[in-house]
Amino acid sequence: MSTTSSDPLAALGALPGVTDAVDSVRKAVDRVYGHRVMRRRSNEVTAEAALRGARGSAALSGADWNLEEVRRRTDFSGEDEARIIGAALRLTAEAGQLLSIWRQSPLRVLARLHLVAAGGATPDDGVGRPRFPGEPVREPLIEALLPDAEEVSGRLDGLSRLIISGGAASALVTASVVHGELLALRPFRSHNGMVARTAERIVLIGSGLDPKSVCPAEVGHAEQGRAAYVAAFEGYLSGRPEGMAAWIAHCGRSVELGVRESTAVCEALQRGAA
């Protein structure tokens, strides 16, 4: 991410098409929060959104399981796909616990997310810290050139300063940039995609756009498909204004699809068919 503006995130918000995406997301979120079920049973909607969001994030990381299988399963050890699902579920559960720390120390939160995702891995596996020079990265969905460890360190520090300083940027723009930058850097040896999507979730919750965490963008990213996800990310990676705008719009559409999913959950609860 690069820009000459003193508030680079706010500058992104002024790109053509981004304002429309921000407005569309806000209207969609307002609609689901206005649903009558949200006044009485929001905790149930939040829990279901977490489950569906975890399933969506895992699907993008290579474990595209049926929702009912995710709901039914209790053992997520063993085969690779089960471990991916387990990591996504742990990350979703952890996200809401880290909001206050995120505002003060985003890098601590990212380290914690990687530790949670890795589960039983040991420090020798590089868990909970940015990768060292020469260490390999396992992230099969993203094949872009991997920045070296020194560049990762500098860009993580810059991202952290942007988050801590706040600014006038919308929640959607900030969440999209956090997500895109973490995908670009792939700072850890594994689980970078899931960590990036969880960080996006944390921004959307902590910003006040989605305080009850009922708008799972991960659902929308998965629904649009892995190819669309990678293509939109390549726009972010290009650094060009139109590419950045396309990535933000893609993330906005993902939030809207997450809203649609939770609206359906609200309707099911209203009918008594949760």
Side-chain angles (χ1 to χ4, degrees), residues 16 19 24 30 42 82 85 91 110 139 147 153 190 212 214 218 227 262:
T19 299
S24 183
D30 286 347
S42 63
I85 296 286
L91 284 169
L110 294 175
E139 193 63 48
S153 177
S190 63
K212 295 182 183 294
V214 297
E218 305 96 324
S262 286

Side-chain angles (χ1 to χ4, degrees), residues 80-111:
D80 287 346
E81 288 194 4
R83 289 198 296 271
I84 290 170
I85 296 286
L89 289 167
R90 291 192 300 273
L91 284 169
T92 302
E94 188 78 6
Q97 311 301 315
L98 298 172
L99 297 176
S100 61
I101 303 173
W102 175 261
R103 299 183 187 103
Q104 301 169 14
S105 182
L107 300 187
R108 280 180 58 199
V109 170
L110 294 175

Side-chain angles (χ1 to χ4, degrees), residues 143-212:
E143 298 179 352
L145 184 67
L146 194 67
D148 63 32
E150 183 177 359
E151 181 180 351
V152 168
S153 177
R155 286 172 63 175
L156 282 177
D157 285 343
L159 182 63
S160 177
R161 287 194 298 271
L162 280 176
I163 294 165
I164 293 169
S165 65
S170 69
L172 175 62
V173 169
T174 303
S176 301
V177 167
V178 167
H179 184 168
E181 192 70 356
L182 292 174
L183 278 184
L185 296 178
R186 282 148 287 160
F188 304 110
R189 290 179 58 181
S190 63
H191 300 94
N192 289 288
M194 284 193 284
V195 167
R197 291 184 288 275
T198 305
E200 178 186 46
R201 171 184 283 268
I202 288 172
V203 174
L204 294 172
I205 299 168
S207 67
L209 177 67
D210 181 22
K212 295 182 183 294

Side-chain angles (χ1 to χ4, degrees), residues 9-269:
L9 297 182
L12 291 175
L15 292 174
V18 172
T19 299
D20 289 343
V22 169
D23 289 345
S24 183
V25 165
R26 167 53 69 186
K27 289 174 183 175
V29 172
D30 286 347
R31 283 196 299 272
V32 72
Y33 272 82
H35 197 287
R36 61 185 301 177
V37 166
M38 287 294 295
R39 295 194 294 270
R40 298 176 288 109
R41 303 177 70 178
S42 63
N43 288 343
E44 294 172 71
V45 182
T46 295
E48 190 64 21
L51 182 71
R52 296 179 185 220
R55 193 217 72 82
S57 188
L60 289 170
S61 288
D64 192 1
W65 285 18
N66 180 277
L67 180 64
E68 293 311 312
E69 175 65 11
V70 178
R71 196 191 306 279
R72 181 193 65 80
R73 189 77 168 257
T74 57
D75 179 10
F76 296 100
S77 61
E79 71 269 29
D80 287 346
E81 288 194 4
R83 289 198 296 271
I84 290 170
I85 296 286
L89 289 167
R90 291 192 300 273
L91 284 169
T92 302
E94 188 78 6
Q97 311 301 315
L98 298 172
L99 297 176
S100 61
I101 303 173
W102 175 261
R103 299 183 187 103
Q104 301 169 14
S105 182
L107 300 187
R108 280 180 58 199
V109 170
L110 294 175
R112 173 62 183 170
L113 291 176
H114 188 243
L115 185 66
V116 168
T122 68
D124 291 342
D125 296 321
V127 174
R129 62 157 174 82
R131 54 188 164 82
F132 294 151
E135 287 187 322
V137 174
R138 299 188 304 276
E139 193 63 48
L141 182 60
I142 305 300
E143 298 179 352
L145 184 67
L146 194 67
D148 63 32
E150 183 177 359
E151 181 180 351
V152 168
S153 177
R155 286 172 63 175
L156 282 177
D157 285 343
L159 182 63
S160 177
R161 287 194 298 271
L162 280 176
I163 294 165
I164 293 169
S165 65
S170 69
L172 175 62
V173 169
T174 303
S176 301
V177 167
V178 167
H179 184 168
E181 192 70 356
L182 292 174
L183 278 184
L185 296 178
R186 282 148 287 160
F188 304 110
R189 290 179 58 181
S190 63
H191 300 94
N192 289 288
M194 284 193 284
V195 167
R197 291 184 288 275
T198 305
E200 178 186 46
R201 171 184 283 268
I202 288 172
V203 174
L204 294 172
I205 299 168
S207 67
L209 177 67
D210 181 22
K212 295 182 183 294
S213 191
V214 297
C215 307
E218 305 96 324
V219 167
H221 287 304
E223 185 170 333
Q224 293 185 84
R226 299 178 89 194
Y229 183 73
V230 171
F233 167 65
E234 288 173 353
Y236 176 88
L237 205 59
S238 75
R240 294 191 297 269
E242 63 274 18
M244 299 290 285
W247 169 249
I248 294 168
H250 179 89
C251 291
R253 179 59 180 158
S254 295
V255 175
E256 291 185 61
L257 290 169
V259 167
R260 187 177 71 180
E261 190 88 351
S262 286
T263 300
V265 170
C266 288
E267 294 295 325
L269 288 171

